[in-house]
Amino acid sequence: SIYASPAEVPKASELLDPMVLRDSPAEKVLCLTFVRSVSAKQFTDALTESFKNVADIVVVPQEAMQDTAAQLPESIGKGTQVRFSVRPSHGQVGIHVISAPNGSSSSADGGSGGALLHQPELCQGLQEIFLGRAPVVRGLHDSLQQRLIELPACA
């Protein structure tokens, strides 16, 4: 799932181009729900591999990946949700983990006094791999565009 404040997002007609949403300075929340258990290393390795695919646009430093890994539990169970609060105008990323099935959570998003990750390249890299020219979630652009068409009908 992807969430952004409607007040800060460009007009819906502009959003038919996913790059407009990617480039918007609006805060976005990228929610990943795991359909199987993985280790934090598997998850960060997959992110690192995805970032390599966009290295011509942004290079995410290894330090940013180490900072990200430090915020994750050793094991990410099935049903766990990892939320990245991407704040492009500040170059910050907050990480919030909601573990399943007990719903316990931990965060590094500043909401409960935790520190934000001040990693502009990580912020840009996450936007690129989820909202850029070749998102890691297949069909995401089409899904976002369909949802934008439906939104005026919901208002």
Side-chain angles (χ1 to χ4, degrees):
S1 305
I2 298 175
Y3 301 91
S5 170
E8 297 177 13
V9 173
K11 296 182 291 190
S13 60
E14 295 173 5
L15 288 175
L16 293 177
D17 175 1
M19 301 308 119
V20 173
L21 182 58
R22 179 201 62 192
D23 296 338
S24 167
E27 179 177 346
K28 299 156 197 92
V29 180
L30 309 170
C31 300
L32 308 176
T33 302
F34 288 78
V35 295
R36 66 179 178 91
S37 297
V38 298
S39 69
K41 181 178 179 349
Q42 287 173 304
F43 178 54
T44 55
D45 286 352
L47 280 177
T48 299
E49 190 64 31
S50 295
F51 291 142
K52 287 179 184 176
N53 294 332
V54 297
D56 60 319
I57 298 169
V58 59
V59 176
V60 178
Q62 187 59 34
E63 176 189 347
M65 294 311 303
Q66 292 168 344
D67 290 348
T68 300
Q71 303 304 323
L72 300 170
E74 279 186 41
S75 178
I76 302 170
K78 180 180 178 179
T80 295
Q81 190 174 86
V82 176
R83 295 181 186 170
F84 292 105
S85 298
V86 180
R87 300 169 182 157
S89 60
H90 301 297
Q92 300 171 331
V93 176
I95 300 174
H96 187 83
V97 179
I98 301 172
S99 300
N102 65 6
S104 65
S105 66
S106 64
S107 77
D109 65 1
S112 59
L116 288 168
L117 300 182
H118 296 275
Q119 296 283 353
E121 295 89 355
L122 177 62
C123 182
Q124 184 181 356
L126 285 167
Q127 291 183 103
E128 187 59 42
I129 65 172
F130 285 99
L131 300 169
R133 66 178 185 255
V136 294
V137 178
R138 290 186 194 113
L140 180 62
H141 287 174
D142 293 338
S143 176
L144 285 172
Q145 289 175 350
Q146 181 60 39
R147 184 69 182 132
L148 287 168
I149 291 167
E150 295 169 359
L151 283 176
C154 296

